[in-house]
Amino acid sequence: MRFSMLPSVFVQMFKKPWTNKFPAKYAPSNTTQFLADVGEGKAEIVPPIQTPKGFRGKIKYDKEKCTGCQLCIKYCPCEAIEFKPKEKKIKIFLARCCFCSQCNDVCPTNCLTMGDEFLLADADPYSKDLIVE
Amino acid sequence: MKQTATTKTSYHIPVGPIHPALKEPVYFEFEIDGERIIDVNVKLGHIHRGVEWASRKRNPIQVLYLAERICGICSYCHPAAFSLAVEAAADIQVPERAEYLRVIQGELERICSHILWAGVAAHEIGFDTVLYFTWQIREKALDLTEYLTGNRITKGIMTIGGIRRDITKDMLPRIKRDLQFFKDNFEKLRHIFLDDKTIKMRSQGAGILTKKDALKLCAVGPTTRASGVKKDVRVDTSYFAYGDLDIDYITPDVLTGNINGDVYDRIIQRLLEVKQSIDLVEQCIDEMPAGEIVSEPKIPKLMNQLKKVNGEGVGRHEAPRGEVIHYVKFNGQTENPYTWKVRAPTYNNILPWIPMLKGEQIADIPIVAASTDPCMSCTNRVAIVNNNSKYELTKEQLHKMSVEKTRRFMK
Ligand code: SF4
Ligand code: SF4
């Protein structure tokens, strides 16, 4: 065929789009305002697609199990983890984290796991959402 | 006529380093006569990032993630070559299952990369419908990557002495389903690329790299294979599990019967490689033995082992763009590498641009340049700076400096 893409293009015009329209069907003119409206229940958000099993999202930290051995600090490639000497616990700055889950692998007590939360964008790198302790 | 005698016949056009047509910084100097390119000069070194230097302050586990960030598309190849180098230096035996899993990840990355490239190539010749079609397939490939590794791009799957995630039995149906999807769409893609008039018109006979030039300039990967040179690390050295798998060199004449070394051949080459990769993943899934996936799961223990290593290792891996080489040296005092040297495949594929571009038209520059699948940021390893400004050394200057150094030693 001379122009082999034409049939696909015509079919495409009547198909449901592949893209998930997150966070809204049409891009809001003011995203901050839109999110505030969502918070107040005035607007509805189009949910993101489900994350697969084993996804590397926001780290979950089981503080009780942590022995303060500092192995995770030694092997974190991004220096995203800080030691709190008084409590002998750690503090993870997610703004620096690259979600490699290396800390999960080295931790001898398995107190770190990867969650599935990924909407972590924030203007402030030290905001409460971006620090796990 | 008097007027024509004084008119300049050729023009000098600089393109780059920052230019809307270039995705990454590189500097071209074209000598143009009308629409025809008479001469071209390429300059690099605009995006040196000091990655190798940064490795000296990191232990090998941390370097893995640094290596991953050399290139976004080859985010598996660099840690793979680095691990191979470290394993060679420290004499680490990798379990057999891990070798197969490593092949699966490597080939999946090749599928992603080649399909991405096919879309970019279509975009460069102004055929954007194909761009969206190919990237739809790539999206599936990325979803599969995410399913297998937990991330879409920077996979974080490689580790020294094995691999970090296993493929369990319950994952197989999903993998097989996606492979079938790739196969079905591959046929469609092949039809578009090989039978469509638009692509043929723009790519046949454009940017020819002869076999002689490919050999002389040491081109690597699909760029050299499309010119008929049988060079592929997977077959030549049979690392990972490639030795056990049914794999042979692929050149475009498998499909078309002859080799021209033009852009069209490079398109065929990459499509055939996608097919080969799908086949290799299937073979691995069928033949994978059971067993461990990492030689030493306790990382502190592994580090103690590496601390004692006094020696060097070289790791070679066939990345989607060609052979990537990592050299690592340990000095036996710390576990951090004493030296780490990276040679990305694009480094070899830059000089072939010159014979490819000479004699072409200006409008062919994007597609010919894109046909080697260049990756500038991965390539740049050196920037020579003096008083905050960059300068270059010519061959003669380097020779002079070398002679002077010998004299200093002899004093
Ligand atoms: S996931 Fe990786 S980067 Fe993030 S804290 Fe853990 S080791 Fe550091
Ligand atoms: S490795 Fe685990 S136990 Fe040790 S300090 Fe880190 S989180 Fe705590």
Side-chain angles (χ1 to χ4, degrees):
Chain A
M1 201 195 300
R2 280 164 70 100
F3 299 107
S4 45
M5 266 320 272
L6 277 181
S8 308
V9 174
F10 283 123
V11 170
Q12 199 67 42
M13 285 166 115
F14 303 103
K15 259 209 238 155
K16 201 171 154 261
W18 181 286
T19 319
N20 177 36
K21 306 244 161 134
F22 171 77
K25 191 166 177 204
Y26 300 105
S29 55
N30 183 343
T31 315
T32 333
Q33 185 57 44
F34 174 74
L35 290 178
D37 286 352
V38 170
E40 287 166 27
K42 271 193 269 174
E44 212 166 302
I45 201 164
V46 177
I49 53 167
Q50 194 75 41
T51 53
K53 208 175 120 240
F55 179 78
R56 295 173 179 173
K58 183 175 175 176
I59 301 176
K60 289 190 190 133
Y61 175 42
D62 185 349
K63 207 168 167 181
E64 299 310 309
K65 277 206 258 166
C66 175
T67 57
C69 69
Q70 299 189 48
L71 275 181
C72 52
I73 298 175
K74 179 153 187 239
Y75 295 109
C76 171
C78 302
E79 296 177 8
I81 313 179
E82 197 179 77
F83 189 58
K84 295 193 287 186
K86 242 194 233 142
E87 305 159 60
K88 287 213 166 62
K89 300 284 169 191
I90 60 160
K91 187 176 181 182
I92 307 170
F93 294 90
L94 290 182
R96 281 199 74 119
C97 172
C98 70
F99 303 95
C100 63
S101 91
Q102 189 65 55
C103 50
N104 296 208
D105 285 12
V106 294
C107 178
T109 59
N110 288 329
C111 58
L112 294 166
T113 44
M114 298 310 266
D116 52 13
E117 200 184 321
F118 65 91
L119 296 171
L120 298 169
D122 205 313
D124 174 19
Y126 299 108
S127 87
K128 218 167 77 246
D129 289 345
L130 292 184
I131 293 178
V132 178
E133 53 184 335
Chain B
M1 269 196 296
K2 209 175 176 196
Q3 211 182 358
T4 42
T6 50
T7 313
K8 220 175 144 202
T9 51
S10 72
Y11 289 89
H12 186 81
I13 300 184
V15 178
I18 307 296
H19 188 273
L22 302 171
K23 274 135 209 118
E24 288 177 280
V26 56
Y27 178 62
F28 289 102
E29 277 174 5
F30 290 106
E31 197 65 36
I32 307 269
D33 177 16
E35 277 281 316
R36 220 168 48 84
I37 302 164
I38 331 180
D39 200 8
V40 50
N41 192 8
V42 190
K43 283 190 181 157
L44 293 171
H46 303 281
I47 187 155
H48 174 58
R49 293 173 296 175
V51 170
E52 288 161 337
W53 175 81
S55 78
R56 306 222 184 134
K57 294 194 248 161
R58 285 166 166 79
N59 58 47
I61 290 290
Q62 290 171 317
V63 176
L64 280 176
Y65 300 98
L66 189 66
E68 205 167 73
R69 276 149 188 84
I70 291 175
C71 178
I73 306 172
C74 307
S75 64
Y76 173 77
C77 301
H78 285 283
F82 175 75
S83 302
L84 281 169
V86 173
E87 282 153 17
D91 218 355
I92 296 171
Q93 290 300 325
V94 179
E96 214 178 323
R97 186 177 176 82
E99 299 276 35
Y100 279 86
L101 289 167
R102 283 175 166 191
V103 171
I104 294 179
Q105 298 293 348
E107 295 307 318
L108 194 58
E109 181 169 272
R110 197 178 317 278
I111 296 172
C112 280
S113 172
H114 282 354
I115 288 184
L116 176 131
W117 175 85
V120 172
H123 168 73
E124 298 289 7
I125 59 176
F127 200 174
D128 279 302
T129 350
V130 181
L131 165 75
Y132 289 108
F133 178 67
T134 50
W135 283 37
Q136 182 184 349
I137 305 174
R138 176 174 179 257
E139 196 56 37
K140 269 268 185 211
L142 287 182
D143 281 349
L144 182 62
T145 311
E146 189 184 35
Y147 181 65
L148 294 181
T149 69
N151 274 351
R152 279 160 60 93
I153 304 286
T154 38
K155 305 165 188 87
I157 185 82
M158 202 56 164
T159 193
I160 293 159
I163 201 147
R164 290 177 62 197
R165 284 198 185 181
D166 199 359
I167 293 179
T168 48
K169 265 219 177 71
D170 56 310
M171 291 165 115
L172 291 181
R174 159 89 197 254
I175 299 174
K176 284 191 178 141
R177 202 185 70 211
D178 280 354
L179 286 178
Q180 193 54 45
F181 174 87
F182 295 147
K183 271 197 221 159
D184 296 345
N185 278 278
F186 173 79
E187 280 309 314
K188 237 167 139 186
L189 198 65
R190 202 184 68 149
H191 174 55
I192 292 166
F193 271 100
L194 302 190
D195 306 332
D196 196 283
K197 210 177 155 214
T198 325
I199 290 180
K200 268 194 178 160
M201 281 190 303
R202 284 301 305 275
S203 61
Q204 269 180 342
I208 293 180
L209 179 71
T210 58
K211 188 171 179 180
K212 203 171 130 234
D213 279 340
L215 282 170
K216 192 173 80 189
L217 298 170
C218 295
V220 290
T223 310
T224 194
R225 287 196 288 273
S227 297
V229 182
K230 293 205 159 134
K231 185 149 91 178
D232 189 327
V233 190
R234 291 174 294 172
V235 188
D236 296 338
T237 66
S238 72
Y239 60 104
F240 290 174
Y242 287 115
D244 301 345
L245 301 171
D246 180 16
I247 175 175
D248 200 3
Y249 305 101
I250 282 196
T251 43
D253 55 340
V254 178
L255 195 77
T256 56
N258 50 1
I259 294 167
N260 302 315
D262 53 5
V263 174
Y264 188 65
D265 272 0
R266 287 194 277 282
I267 295 175
I268 299 177
Q269 176 67 30
R270 288 205 173 80
L271 290 180
L272 288 173
E273 283 185 21
V274 171
K275 189 142 186 269
Q276 186 186 37
S277 293
I278 298 173
D279 182 45
L280 283 171
V281 174
E282 280 185 330
Q283 282 186 40
C284 283
I285 286 174
D286 291 343
E287 293 172 21
M288 207 157 48
E292 291 295 314
I293 57 162
V294 65
S295 64
E296 177 52 72
K298 290 212 173 63
I299 291 165
K301 218 167 151 190
L302 176 75
M303 284 302 127
N304 279 337
Q305 191 186 338
L306 288 180
K307 216 180 254 177
K308 290 185 214 111
V309 175
N310 189 351
E312 53 189 12
V314 175
R316 296 165 70 200
H317 173 61
E318 182 77 19
R321 289 163 182 73
E323 180 185 25
V324 43
I325 303 177
H326 279 228
Y327 168 85
V328 176
K329 184 172 178 174
F330 293 99
N331 64 357
Q333 283 156 21
T334 64
E335 70 257 36
N336 299 6
Y338 177 70
T339 310
W340 178 38
K341 172 88 188 92
V342 180
R343 213 270 350 249
T346 303
Y347 184 80
N348 291 34
N349 287 341
I350 282 173
L351 285 180
W353 269 347
I354 295 168
M356 278 182 207
L357 283 169
K358 271 190 194 168
E360 295 298 328
Q361 293 198 327
I362 298 179
D364 288 329
I365 297 172
I367 179 67
V368 171
S371 73
T372 68
D373 205 359
C375 209
M376 290 304 141
S377 313
C378 328
T379 303
N380 284 281
R381 289 279 90 81
V382 187
I384 306 171
V385 181
N386 190 16
N387 285 339
N388 275 337
S389 60
K390 225 183 98 175
Y391 72 102
E392 283 175 8
L393 291 170
T394 60
K395 195 181 154 199
E396 288 75 35
Q397 280 170 318
L398 272 174
H399 179 71
K400 203 168 134 237
M401 281 170 78
S402 174
V403 172
E404 276 166 8
K405 184 161 182 182
T406 316
R407 296 229 171 97
R408 273 208 305 281
F409 278 141
M410 303 223 315
K411 261 177 203 162

